[in-house]
Amino acid sequence: MNKSLFEIYKIFLIIGAQLLGGGYVIVPLLKKYLVEERKWISENELIDYFAMSQCIPGIIAGNIAICTGYKIRGITGAIAAISGIITSPFICIILLANILNEITEIEIIKNAFWGIRISVTVLIIITIKDIWKSSVNSVFTYILYLIILTALIFLPISPAIIIISAALIALIYGKVRSKNV
Amino acid sequence: MFKLYIMLFTEFSKIGLFAIGGGYAVLPFLYYLQSEYNWFSTDELTNMIAVSNITPGPIGINAATYTGYTTAGIAGALIATLSIVLIPFILTVLITKLFDKFENNKTMCAIFTGLRPAACALLSSIAIKLFYRAIFTDFKSLTEFQIDISSLILFIILILPFSFIKKNPLITILAGAIGGIIIKSF
């Protein structure tokens, strides 16, 4: 597991440049670049980091990059990863800052981003399909999934509270089950 | 100038610390900044949110860079951007370290059994919300809404091929952008 810092920075720079339509696209991007192409982390690790990132303050895409970078090469890996993620957004905003108000009025850009919003929805649905087997694979996890999804849709609860409650429920369930066996 | 740097540092560190849930969780903090300081106007903030959607990167990072840049130049942009990730960085590293240590622990395994479906449910709820916002417009009640046909068409065009061919997220994004331009020009 000896990846050069520059390599880590480069991958996260590429991912950062593709973070269009909000930070959630980072999950399919990490899946492609780190899980499938490079096998630096496993799919389960990615799901765990995504869950963890929700409970830690800060920007999710940033947090998940820090977790992954740390996993790959410790603290320096985490620094390389977060630097890579923020480089492209940083440069873009600096370049666009002065013409910000004009850009948002251009029709063709508006239309393109209207389409990208739908792409993001599609990407997230595909990601759910991919991680489904390793996440929701027993009666217990199925019920937990349905309860959490219902709660998220109908109640204004913070994702952090959801994740922490899910961890606690699973912990209690695990304890009860191991006692019965 | 130095005082402004310190202010940018404390304000954006605070956002980094309190914005749990990410993404749009930073919005209320930005509106607060707007009312508290004269760093940007409400109009500029609205445009900033729009631009965040058309530039790469999470909105929190974009807003930090923009505010820092317009109030105190490149140095300000750097300070604000680094401040918003600083506290999450420290916390994330500590928690990951802790997780790694107990990775094969029985308790940890039990927790993960719950975390994974929760992560799935979170992603599902995001997808459902995005889908509703795109497809159902003028949503008044369960029976009173309009379906945005062009959104629905683009959605079907994008999801059908990409759900079974080897997919590159960037291609899906580009296809959406091109599809958006074509459909909207009719």
Side-chain angles (χ1 to χ4, degrees):
Chain A
M1 282 294 258
N2 220 352
K3 316 291 184 295
S4 84
L5 282 181
F6 179 71
E7 215 182 331
I8 297 171
Y9 176 78
K10 200 181 76 189
I11 297 299
F12 280 92
L13 178 75
I14 294 169
I15 294 173
Q18 297 179 43
L19 282 181
L20 289 161
Y24 284 114
V25 198
I26 199 167
V27 183
L29 287 171
L30 286 173
K31 191 170 171 301
K32 171 174 183 279
Y33 286 104
L34 298 186
V35 178
E36 285 161 14
E37 286 179 7
R38 285 173 187 76
K39 300 189 168 51
W40 286 359
I41 55 167
S42 71
E43 192 173 284
N44 278 342
E45 279 173 328
L46 177 63
I47 306 168
D48 298 340
Y49 293 160
F50 172 70
M52 260 166 60
S53 299
Q54 309 272 342
C55 316
I56 305 167
I59 292 140
I60 309 240
N63 291 350
I64 195 167
I66 296 164
C67 289
T68 329
Y70 184 81
K71 179 73 192 180
I72 298 168
R73 205 181 190 268
I75 190 111
T76 48
I79 294 172
I82 188 68
S83 312
I85 286 292
I86 62 179
T87 303
S88 321
F90 186 83
I91 294 170
C92 277
I93 292 290
I94 299 269
L95 292 178
L96 294 178
N98 298 319
I99 45 165
L100 191 81
N101 296 341
E102 288 82 23
I103 291 171
T104 44
E105 295 304 315
I106 302 170
E107 203 58 32
I108 195 160
I109 292 183
K110 265 195 213 159
N111 294 344
F113 278 89
W114 169 82
I116 287 177
R117 245 182 33 211
I118 297 175
S119 301
V120 171
T121 317
V122 167
L123 280 175
I124 294 174
I125 293 174
I126 294 171
T127 310
I128 298 165
K129 200 191 107 203
D130 288 344
I131 63 172
W132 185 264
K133 253 192 214 142
S134 52
S135 316
V136 186
N137 46 18
S138 65
V139 177
F140 170 70
T141 48
Y142 225 102
I143 294 170
L144 197 57
Y145 170 82
L146 288 175
I147 293 172
I148 295 172
L149 184 59
T150 317
L152 281 167
I153 292 174
F154 294 105
L155 306 169
I157 311 177
S158 143
I161 294 175
I162 295 274
I163 294 282
I164 293 166
S165 325
L168 285 177
I169 294 169
L171 187 63
I172 295 164
Y173 173 78
K175 284 264 187 301
V176 170
R177 201 176 52 166
S178 63
K179 240 177 228 163
N180 291 343
V181 170
Chain B
M1 204 60 179
F2 187 70
K3 210 180 143 203
L4 187 58
Y5 290 156
I6 298 283
M7 264 156 70
L8 283 170
F9 172 76
T10 47
E11 283 307 327
F12 282 98
S13 299
K14 251 195 265 171
I15 297 182
L17 177 60
F18 292 114
I20 299 178
Y24 289 95
V26 301
L27 291 185
F29 291 96
L30 295 176
Y31 279 104
Y32 165 80
L33 278 189
Q34 196 275 320
S35 61
E36 198 72 359
Y37 305 95
N38 257 332
W39 288 345
F40 41 77
S41 67
T42 322
D43 274 354
E44 273 183 297
L45 181 56
T46 314
N47 282 335
M48 212 189 313
I49 296 162
V51 166
S52 292
N53 286 313
I54 65 169
T55 52
I59 182 166
I61 305 256
N62 291 338
T65 310
Y66 180 81
T67 315
Y69 183 72
T70 47
T71 50
I74 298 270
L78 260 178
I79 290 170
T81 311
L82 293 179
S83 309
I84 204 170
V85 293
L86 181 69
I87 292 171
F89 181 86
I90 298 167
L91 289 173
T92 306
V93 166
L94 287 177
I95 292 173
T96 315
K97 211 172 183 166
L98 214 73
F99 263 58
D100 265 7
K101 217 172 169 178
F102 299 104
E103 209 183 353
N104 295 316
N105 179 292
K106 233 183 175 174
T107 316
M108 245 11 195
C109 287
I111 289 177
F112 282 131
T113 325
L115 280 188
R116 285 174 195 153
C120 257
L122 269 173
L123 280 174
S124 306
S125 77
I126 294 161
I128 290 169
K129 277 173 196 159
L130 288 173
F131 183 82
Y132 261 75
R133 224 175 283 157
I135 311 288
F136 299 103
T137 50
D138 294 331
F139 195 90
K140 289 190 191 85
S141 71
L142 281 173
T143 47
E144 253 183 289
F145 58 82
Q146 298 231 302
I147 294 177
D148 185 354
I149 302 290
S150 46
S151 294
L152 192 60
I153 291 170
L154 185 59
F155 177 79
I156 294 167
I157 292 174
L158 289 173
I159 201 157
L160 281 182
F162 289 113
S163 50
F164 52 82
I165 57 167
K166 191 78 193 149
K167 59 275 162 187
N168 181 335
L170 188 60
I171 292 175
T172 317
I173 296 272
L174 286 177
I178 295 165
I181 293 168
I182 293 170
I183 290 177
K184 282 280 176 179
S185 61
F186 281 115

